Structures are given as C-alpha cells and as structure tokens.
Amino acid sequence: MTLSGVGGAGKTRIALELGTRQAGSWTGGVWFVDLTANDDPRSPANAVCRALGVRERPDLSAMDTLVEHCRDAELLIVLDNCEHVLTACAQVVHAVLRSSPFVRVLATSRIPLGEPGEIDYAVEPLPTPTDDLSLDRISEFASVRIFLERGRAVRRDLASTATHMMSVARICRELDGLPLAIELAAARAKSLSVEDIADRIDDRFRLLRSRHQSASPRHQTLRATFDWSYELLEADERELLAGVSVFAGGFTLDSVSAVLCQGDVARADELVSRLVDVSLVVVTPGSGRVRYGLLQTVREYAAARLAASGRPDLVRRSHAEYFLDVAEHARTEGREGKAEALDLLDAERENLHSAMRWTLAAGSDLAVPLAAWLWRYWLVRGHRRQGLEWLEQALSLPTAVPGPLRSMALAGAALFARLLGDDARAETFALEGVALGRAAGPPRALTVSLNVLTTLAARAGDFERAAGHCEESVAVARSAGDVRLEAVALFVLAEALLHDGRYADVRDVGSRALALARTSGDPEVISIVLARLGIAAALEHLPDEAAEHLTEALEHARALHFLETAGWCCEGLALVAAERRDFVRAARLLGAGESLRREGGSTIQPAEAAVRQVTLGTLRPALPADLLQLALEAGRALTPDAASAEALAGDHVL
C-alpha cells in the first residue's frame, strides 16, 4: 500500500501510527526506512538493508542480499518518502514481494509507485470548519483539535474565548487542513495570539517555521516542504505549476492548453496528469467536464515561483485573453441556450473576475472589452454595484477601444446606475452611449442606452419623451431584425407605466411585448414581461390572471436562476394569496420575495413597494402580529430554490 498526497498532508505520521499499531502482528517486526536523504538509485536497497540490520555480502548486490534475507521472513517494511527515488523503490518492492510471500510494504510518496497490485491510498487534507459554522461545532474538526493540542503544549490558555475559536477555524481553513502547516502555525502561539496568527496567515511561507531541531529540514518550514516537491519536478512541470497559479476557482484542460500550452490540449493533459499524480494539482468534484484546482497553500507557493520567473504579466495577459473569449462566446452564442451559457459563466466566475481585476490594475486595453461582454452576466447574477464600479474604472482608462465595445460598456454602466437609483450618472452614461451607439453601434447597445432614457423620462413624469425614446429603440431593433430587442424596448416602457400605476396601459404595451418575446423564444424576456403583467393584474385585483402570468414567469426564472425576477413573482403571488385569504402563505411568500430581491442585488421599485403595501395592509388585520412576523421570517429563511418551489406548489408548512 502507498500513502500518497501533497507535502504536509501527514503521510509519514499515518505510516508511523500504522506501523506502531501493527508491531505485535509481525514475527519479524516492523521496520521504518527514511529515504529522505537518499538520492542514489541504488540507495533504497542499501537503506532497507541498513534498517533491517542485514550485513552486506561481497558476493551479492544489496538488492539480492535483501531478497535473500526476506525470503522466509514475516515482516512489515515502511518506506518513507519514496518520490525522489521512485523507480528504484518500485524495483525493491517488486523484487522483495515477488520472492517473499509473508512480507508487506507500506510506502509514503507524493506519487504512487506504479507496481502491480499496489493499493494507492490518497491522504487528503483534514476537513476544516466553514466560515458560517456554529461555534459549538468548530472543535469537532480534527484540524482544529490538532491546532489546539499543539498550541496548548506551548501556551496553556490558548483559544479560551469564542473569538479565539473563530480565529482558529480561520487558520485551519486558510491552511487547507494540511497537518504540517497547522502544527507549524500552532507552534507560533508561544509568541503570537491566535488573532495575530490568523491576520498573518497570508504570509504563511514566512510565518510558518519550526524551532524544533529534531524535525527533518524539509519539515522545519512550510516553504522547505514545497521546495522539496518543486525540485523533484521536471522543468516543464515546474513551469506549468507556476502558470496555473493565475487561475482562480479551478481550471479545465481547455483553459490550461489555451493559456499555457499554445492550444496543445494533449500536452496540457500530459502535464496536468503528472501534477495530479504528484498531488500538487487536485481534481475538483462536480458534474460535467473535469475541473482541476490547487490547494490555496500550493497556489500561493506556485504564484511566488511565477513572480520569480519574470513572466507573470505575460501569463496574466494570456489568462485574460482566454477568458475574454469565454465571455464573448457566452454572450454572442448563448442566446438559444441561456441556461448553458450561464452555467459556463458560473463555473468560470472566479477566473472571469480575476481577469477583470488584473486588466484594471494593469490598465490593459482588454478591460473595456471584458467588462462590455460581462455586464449582462453581472446583471442576471445580481453583481450590479460591483459591475458598475468595474465598468466605470474600465471606461476611465486612457486606452484605445473600438467604438462598438465602448458603446456596450456605456450601455451597461447606464443600466446599472439606473437600477441602483443613481439617475444622474445613468443619464450621463446613457447620453454618451446613445451618441456613440448611433455612430458605431451595435444595435443592442444603442437600444439599452435608449431604454435607460425611456425609464428616466418616465420617472420624471415626461411620458411623451419616454415614448419617443421607446419608439427609437423599437425602430433600431426592427432595422436590425432583432425581435428580442424590440420586445425589451416595449417591456421597459410597460415597466415604467407599471411604476406610475397606469395598469391599463401596462396591459396594452405589455401584451405587445409578450407576443414579441414569445416569437423570439427567449425565456428571460418572456419571464420579465410576464412578471410585470402579473404584478399589474395583482394590483388590479385580478388574482386568477395574475397567478397565471406569475406562475409561468417564475418557472422560467427558476430554471435560469434569475433571483430578481423570482422575487417579483413571489411578491406578486403573495398578493394573490392574500386576495384568496390564504394569509400565512401570503406572508411567507412576501418574506421570500424580499429575500430573493435582496440576494439578486436589486433595490425595491415602486411597483414592488405598492404590492408590499397592499399585501401587508391585508395581512395585518387578518393575522396576529407574532404569527405574521413568524411567517415573514420563515419566508425570508427559504433558499431561492425552496422559495420558488413553495410559490409554485401552492402549499406551505409553518
């Protein structure tokens, strides 16, 4: 059996414990062989002979001497740290086990030996507490118990308060549950508080050093442990390990091949597989295509190696260029399969945002294009405030950007500012976007900026001007042959009318928008139009019509994970339930809608405010105050999917 795993995972400790427990089970004993200092291919056989006390014979090689000694023996040999003499170790194991039926070998290595019949037992890092775990459960984790045991050996009052325990949990989490790193961190408790250790953990390779001279040199510092693994790699493996440190949230073979291997997927597969074999890259769980990742401790080490190589900016730009292509592809090719496009962007969100941050920090010409292609994703997923900040920063960079891409970024900034209630900034961005969009396009960017002006004019009570902006937006969409854009333009006017309480006009304009949306087949647009028609019907006290519209809208929103639209639907269905005198259900759905809207990153709009006011006005005289509050809180506590499921199911459990 081989215990394999990343450096510091506890392979040697486990092997020693297993050997100790097995000591009485072998008539020939249990023998521990430390191969750390052995770098001669012949040395494993010599080292095992020395450990077993086998005398050299001049007529036999060390290998033959060992085989002869073990032939009739019954013993357990523990080979520790085989990775740097892997082939020689495999030869020793093969020769001994082939001729010795009562000998067993337990090996530790960062890569399996590859012998037939080998059992490869991957030693994983210890589980760590999540940041939202209750205080009373933190000490259940072995990683925390190790820290407390080692730390209290040097400081008896360690972690005596709740705050201390939260810091201990953070330390274990940040150190990826690696026992060596946790023990080194605990040793610093002699001179540092746990809060100090937690605050300095980002500099872990400087912080974590052992004062115990009895520890092997590679276990005396965390850096030495990883230096040992790094130096055993081939040059191309080292280069790839350093390079993949730019990925955030994992990577695929496609992304590695594009960013680091000039598009050679086979080469990327070979190198990544080698790094998986030596436990420096991990396969991350999930469905669909295989994703890989690095433990944070490994990633920081690899990032330091990349920085020292003098090529971090080249790799970061390559990373940003690849994820710009991902964002553009998802935006332009994802219309017919929006769920699939969103799933792709969700999977790569950390990489996309890491690329966005780098382009802004570097003042790159990629910043505006990346923000332009990403802002609709930010809109759907509720990243509006952060999205507006990134769009503004990108637009302020003194870099040359093609007119259509700048027009797209201006449209996104205008929309986000409008949704966040900053009408002045929204108008500034929209006016510039309209001027540039009329000159350079593209039609969809121009229509977004015009739609923002439609809403702003309606908010100011100038519905004649709002209708004018809407007409221009519809004309641009028609000239482009884009039914979806035409539907959205009418939806924006219908929404403005809804917020002004003009429900008959909402029905007229919204019905035209819905017909166009159904023609386009776009579930997002169908969902938002139905939601607004449903809200209008609910406020007109037409519960059956409202329920029909809102239920269909919610089904689309749930499938696409559109939290804001799902929130609208839950609030509208709350009013429907109140009209039907199902008061507890109404309160739960009202609470759920509030939570969904907040999680979706949107502020309350006049129509939602009206729905809440009417619904609460019905519920307060109908329910005792404590029951009303209990139902509201129960709704707020529902997960997004549970809230949607309850709204669609039509039943509840209080």
Side-chain angles (χ1 to χ4, degrees):
M1 175 184 285
T2 300
L3 303 176
S4 62
V6 68
K11 301 181 297 294
T12 298
R13 181 70 57 83
I14 293 172
L16 286 169
E17 180 66 23
L18 285 173
T20 300
R21 294 187 182 189
Q22 290 276 311
S25 302
W26 303 87
T27 58
V30 176
W31 302 90
F32 183 82
V33 186
D34 184 0
L35 298 173
T36 304
N38 292 271
D39 53 12
D40 187 328
R42 299 165 299 179
S43 63
N46 290 326
V48 177
C49 285
R50 286 194 299 271
L52 270 62
V54 179
R55 291 179 180 272
E56 294 184 22
R57 289 176 52 178
D59 58 328
L60 293 176
S61 67
M63 179 79 81
D64 291 339
T65 301
L66 177 61
V67 169
E68 182 66 26
H69 175 81
C70 293
R71 190 177 307 280
D72 298 315
E74 182 182 338
L75 51 84
L76 172 65
I77 301 172
V78 180
L79 297 178
D80 191 38
N81 301 305
C82 300
E83 55 268 1
H84 61 304
V85 282
L86 195 70
T87 301
C89 282
Q91 291 170 349
V92 168
V93 171
H94 180 77
V96 169
L97 296 184
R98 183 181 58 180
S99 59
S100 310
F102 304 113
V103 173
R104 295 292 181 267
V105 175
L106 175 64
T108 74
S109 175
R110 302 187 188 181
I111 182 172
L113 303 187
E115 274 298 291
E118 176 184 25
I119 298 173
D120 175 23
Y121 185 90
V123 179
E124 304 287 349
L126 298 172
T128 60
T130 58
D131 57 5
D132 59 350
L133 196 68
S134 61
L135 185 63
D136 60 334
R137 294 199 57 204
I138 290 176
S139 60
E140 296 176 7
F141 288 79
S143 54
V144 171
R145 293 199 301 271
I146 286 177
F147 184 93
L148 294 175
E149 179 183 330
R150 302 299 188 270
R152 285 169 180 166
V154 297
R155 186 171 182 172
R156 284 181 294 178
D157 64 344
L158 181 76
S160 56
T161 69
T163 302
H164 291 164
M165 287 298 291
M166 297 300 291
S167 294
V168 170
R170 178 187 162 200
I171 291 166
C172 295
R173 189 166 53 249
E174 292 288 329
L175 293 176
D176 302 305
L178 290 173
L180 174 63
I182 291 169
E183 289 191 0
L184 292 173
R188 297 307 309 271
K190 187 171 184 177
S191 57
L192 297 173
S193 70
V194 288
E195 288 84 358
D196 290 333
I197 296 171
D199 289 342
R200 294 175 59 186
I201 209 69
D202 287 341
D203 194 15
R204 65 196 69 189
F205 290 105
R206 186 187 301 273
L207 174 68
L208 303 183
R209 299 170 178 271
S210 173
R211 266 69 171 178
H212 294 290
Q213 297 306 309
S214 60
S216 66
R218 67 188 182 86
H219 283 162
Q220 288 184 4
T221 72
L222 190 61
R223 183 178 298 280
T225 298
F226 284 95
D227 284 343
W228 167 271
S229 292
Y230 188 79
E231 296 303 326
L232 293 175
L233 300 176
E234 299 293 336
D236 52 0
E237 295 168 346
R238 295 178 192 175
E239 185 174 331
L240 191 85
L241 179 64
V244 295
S245 67
V246 303
F247 290 96
F251 49 88
T252 64
L253 290 180
D254 285 343
S255 59
V256 169
S257 68
V259 174
L260 300 169
C261 299
Q262 293 76 50
D264 188 340
V265 177
R267 181 64 173 158
D269 186 11
E270 178 188 355
L271 291 172
V272 169
S273 295
R274 284 194 228 159
L275 293 176
V276 170
D277 287 342
V278 297
S279 306
L280 288 171
V281 168
V282 297
V283 179
T284 57
S287 58
R289 305 185 69 179
V290 175
R291 290 185 68 82
Y292 303 88
L294 302 177
L295 296 178
Q296 184 59 25
T297 302
V298 177
R299 186 178 180 223
E300 290 190 16
Y301 178 85
R305 287 289 188 171
L306 179 63
S309 73
R311 59 188 187 96
D313 286 342
L314 290 174
V315 176
R316 289 307 306 246
R317 183 174 180 89
S318 180
H319 176 270
E321 287 173 342
Y322 174 77
F323 284 103
L324 172 59
D325 288 343
V326 169
E328 181 177 357
H329 177 81
R331 179 79 180 270
T332 58
E333 305 297 330
R335 288 189 178 185
E336 299 304 319
K338 281 186 174 294
E340 291 79 4
L342 287 170
D343 287 344
L344 170 63
L345 295 177
D346 283 340
E348 299 295 0
R349 179 180 57 210
E350 297 299 328
N351 278 309
L352 292 163
H353 289 179
S354 176
M356 189 73 249
R357 286 188 289 268
W358 178 81
T359 62
L360 293 172
S364 170
D365 59 334
L366 302 177
V368 169
L370 186 56
W373 290 118
L374 277 178
W375 69 255
R376 276 203 51 80
Y377 173 68
W378 296 334
L379 173 69
V380 170
R381 290 298 185 244
H383 307 308
R384 296 171 184 182
R385 200 167 298 280
Q386 179 66 80
L388 178 57
E389 181 180 326
W390 280 338
L391 282 160
E392 283 192 291
Q393 289 179 34
L395 288 165
S396 69
L397 293 175
T399 55
V401 178
L405 287 171
R406 184 172 182 85
S407 176
M408 288 168 60
L410 285 164
L415 180 58
F416 283 6
R418 194 269 291 174
L419 290 170
L420 292 169
D422 193 336
D423 289 1
R425 286 162 80 196
E427 185 174 27
T428 298
F429 287 126
L431 289 172
E432 185 182 349
V434 166
L436 185 57
R438 285 169 176 164
R444 61 185 158 193
L446 175 55
T447 60
V448 170
S449 293
L450 285 167
N451 293 342
V452 170
L453 293 178
T454 297
T455 300
L456 295 178
R459 281 182 179 174
D462 190 344
F463 278 90
E464 183 177 349
R465 187 157 56 95
H469 291 310
C470 179
E471 288 171 7
E472 182 180 356
S473 185
V474 168
V476 170
R478 284 177 179 168
S479 66
D482 196 322
V483 177
R484 178 187 181 279
L485 292 182
E486 190 178 349
V488 171
L490 291 172
F491 159 77
V492 170
L493 181 59
E495 183 176 53
L497 293 166
L498 173 65
H499 292 321
D500 198 52
R502 297 166 61 166
Y503 304 134
D505 292 333
V506 172
R507 185 186 300 272
D508 174 45
V509 177
S511 296
R512 290 157 53 201
L514 181 60
L516 291 166
R518 293 198 189 281
T519 299
S520 76
D522 189 308
E524 176 191 356
V525 183
I526 294 171
S527 179
I528 59 177
V529 174
L530 281 168
R532 285 333 204 181
L533 284 170
I535 292 288
L539 288 168
E540 285 188 287
H541 305 288
L542 301 170
D544 293 342
E545 181 181 329
E548 181 180 352
H549 288 325
L550 292 168
T551 298
E552 184 184 351
L554 183 54
E555 288 170 346
H556 289 300
R558 184 187 188 190
L560 295 169
H561 199 60
F562 286 180
L563 298 182
E564 180 183 27
T565 306
W568 296 347
C569 295
C570 283
E571 288 176 321
L573 289 169
L575 180 52
V576 169
E579 291 269 340
R580 292 172 171 171
R581 303 187 63 77
D582 192 347
F583 300 126
V584 172
R585 169 178 163 76
R588 284 173 62 91
L589 292 180
L590 197 64
E594 177 188 343
S595 179
L596 284 166
R597 181 165 31 77
R598 188 183 305 113
E599 192 169 339
S602 62
T603 56
I604 191 165
Q605 301 291 322
E608 283 78 54
V611 166
R612 293 187 65 80
Q613 182 178 0
V614 174
T615 305
L616 287 171
T618 303
L619 295 180
R620 285 191 176 110
L623 290 175
D626 57 346
L627 181 57
L628 173 59
Q629 189 60 33
L630 181 63
L632 287 168
E633 291 298 331
R636 292 174 186 135
L638 292 172
T639 64
D641 195 60
S644 297
E646 179 165 321
L648 292 170
D651 56 11
H652 68 274
V653 178
L654 185 60

